[in-house]
Amino acid sequence: MAFHQELEAITQAFSGHGVDEKSLVTLLGKWDHLERESFRKNTPHLFTEDHERHFQRWDDHHVRLLKHEFVRFKNAVVLWSMHPWERDARLVREALKKGQNAYGVLVEVACTRSSDELLGARKAYHSLFDHSIEEDVASHIHGIERKLLISLLSAYRYEGSKVKDDTAKSEAKILSNAIKNAHKKPINEDDEVIRILATRSKLHLQTVYKHYKEISGKNLDEDLDDLRLKETVQCLCIPQIYFSKVLNAALRIDVDKNTKKSLTRVIVTRADIDMKEIKTQYQNLYGVSLPQKVEEVARGNYKDFLLNLIVRGG
């Protein structure tokens, strides 16, 4: 392989999600000091030139980013190896520490797990942190989102097949009226809206979702301006579309580190659940297969591990 090809391979190894460990070992490891200097001079996005002192130094911001890329594979393996209850408990804890931008993870855990899985996560949270999820949510979140999030995370929904269609239609009208009158009363402060979303079975809410479109001509989540309520409806009613959108956002190159982490979280937590359906929705939404997109964007052992989880999901 010519040096310019090696240079391109190493540059690619450092770009994307994760790093290409094999290229770093086989190519970078054998370069002499002149080849390494050429690499530094030809990658200004990684190194900056100190013209006064005549040397090239790592860009500090990029070094910090690389630290996250090198541990992506390790984090995926650790997360995959955990008991699902512990995994969800730790995801909730991390989201609470990160703050409002991460509260979508709370909605995700609360609304896409079964009743027993959510109960298990709450038990694991007791074991790991000597607190309840509910009390930590109440102590960390002080805005108008608190009531909704506590209600969602403390739910134990009915999971049977019975749905009262008349009740679902009536509650679709309640939601429609609440949205129309949001200028008078914020919808995320409406007790009836929170009651419906936090207590009804998912099958019931999917029927509500259908009736809402019949009433308004639009999908319920499309009419919601509040992000947390929008995420709640999507996770409860159209979870595979929700996960496809999260994955697509995470697979962009120019996103922040927290958005990138969603790639690991979603693939690890859904691999044994509904990955086949997520792959179908992703293809429908974006015109490219999820494995192909991961192949394009991810690197090294991290890429291989994610692809294995995607394949095992059917």
Side-chain angles (χ1 to χ4, degrees), residues 274-314:
D274 55 358
M275 183 54 68
K276 184 176 181 179
E277 293 78 8
I278 291 171
K279 285 192 289 184
T280 299
Q281 286 292 350
Y282 190 92
Q283 177 84 45
N284 292 340
L285 287 171
Y286 303 109
V288 62
S289 74
L290 179 59
Q292 180 182 341
K293 189 66 177 177
V294 171
E295 183 80 41
E296 291 174 4
V297 173
R299 300 285 181 265
N301 293 332
Y302 178 62
K303 176 190 71 177
D304 294 340
F305 189 69
L306 294 185
L307 289 174
N308 279 336
L309 296 187
I310 291 172
V311 169
R312 68 174 279 122

Side-chain angles (χ1 to χ4, degrees), residues 22 33 43 67 112 114 119-120 139 144 157 161 174 185 241 262:
K22 184 177 180 181
H33 71 285
T43 51
K67 288 179 181 178
T112 65
S114 70
L119 180 60
S139 63
I144 56 178
R157 298 176 192 272
S161 60
I174 291 173
K185 181 179 183 180
I241 293 177
S262 302

Side-chain angles (χ1 to χ4, degrees), residues 33-82:
H33 71 285
L34 292 176
E35 290 169 318
R36 296 196 302 276
E37 182 179 9
S38 180
F39 167 59
R40 292 193 296 271
K41 288 182 175 180
N42 283 281
T43 51
H45 63 293
L46 299 178
F47 296 89
T48 56
E49 184 77 35
D50 187 324
H51 296 286
E52 181 182 350
R53 299 170 183 83
H54 308 293
F55 79 107
Q56 309 82 35
R57 58 185 295 271
W58 269 105
D59 176 78
D60 289 339
H61 174 67
H62 208 91
V63 170
R64 288 193 293 271
L65 293 179
L66 275 178
K67 288 179 181 178
H68 294 288
E69 300 306 333
F70 272 102
V71 300
R72 239 173 252 292
F73 172 59
K74 182 268 290 183
N75 290 342
V77 169
V78 170
L79 205 61
W80 175 249
S81 304
M82 284 183 190

Side-chain angles (χ1 to χ4, degrees), residues 249-266:
L251 283 163
R252 291 171 52 191
I253 295 296
D254 58 344
V255 294
D256 62 84
K257 63 181 182 180
N258 290 326
T259 303
K260 278 187 178 183
K261 288 183 74 172
S262 302
L263 179 62
T264 302
R265 185 185 76 247
V266 172

Side-chain angles (χ1 to χ4, degrees), residues 79-236:
L79 205 61
W80 175 249
S81 304
M82 284 183 190
H83 191 290
W85 294 1
E86 178 184 2
R87 185 165 61 216
D88 282 342
R90 291 191 183 279
L91 288 172
V92 168
R93 179 76 164 189
E94 182 182 23
L96 287 172
K97 288 182 176 181
K98 287 183 176 178
Q100 190 171 21
N101 289 338
Y103 291 166
V105 176
L106 305 182
V107 174
E108 188 178 303
V109 170
C111 299
T112 65
R113 288 11 174 200
S114 70
S115 294
D116 283 336
E117 287 168 345
L118 179 56
L119 180 60
R122 287 156 60 190
K123 290 179 179 179
Y125 200 94
H126 290 180
S127 173
L128 292 166
F129 308 116
D130 297 318
H131 291 267
S132 72
I133 285 179
E134 297 89 336
E135 67 178 303
D136 275 0
V137 170
S139 63
H140 282 79
I141 302 174
H142 303 289
I144 56 178
E145 298 173 314
R146 178 162 63 179
K147 182 185 290 186
L148 172 68
L149 292 173
I150 291 176
S151 299
L152 293 174
L153 285 161
S154 59
Y156 191 86
R157 298 176 192 272
Y158 166 69
E159 294 183 331
S161 60
K162 293 183 178 180
V163 174
K164 292 183 178 179
D165 193 69
D166 289 344
T167 303
K169 186 178 293 185
S170 173
E171 291 183 342
K173 291 177 181 176
I174 291 173
L175 294 175
S176 178
N177 290 331
I179 290 171
K180 289 176 182 176
N181 295 309
H183 62 287
K184 298 178 182 177
K185 181 179 183 180
I187 189 170
N188 50 12
E189 294 181 1
D190 191 310
D191 289 339
E192 278 296 276
V193 171
I194 293 175
R195 174 190 66 80
I196 294 167
L197 294 178
T199 66
R200 292 301 191 185
S201 74
K202 293 175 184 177
L203 198 58
H204 177 94
L205 288 168
Q206 287 161 13
T207 307
V208 170
Y209 191 86
K210 175 176 71 74
H211 284 306
Y212 183 91
K213 186 165 187 178
E214 293 169 355
I215 293 169
S216 70
K218 293 177 68 177
N219 290 324
L220 175 56
D221 53 311
E222 294 173 336
D223 273 347
L224 290 167
D225 294 326
D226 181 81
L227 176 60
R228 220 56 72 203
L229 285 172
K230 186 186 291 285
E231 291 169 338
T232 298
V233 169
Q234 290 177 345
C235 285
L236 290 167

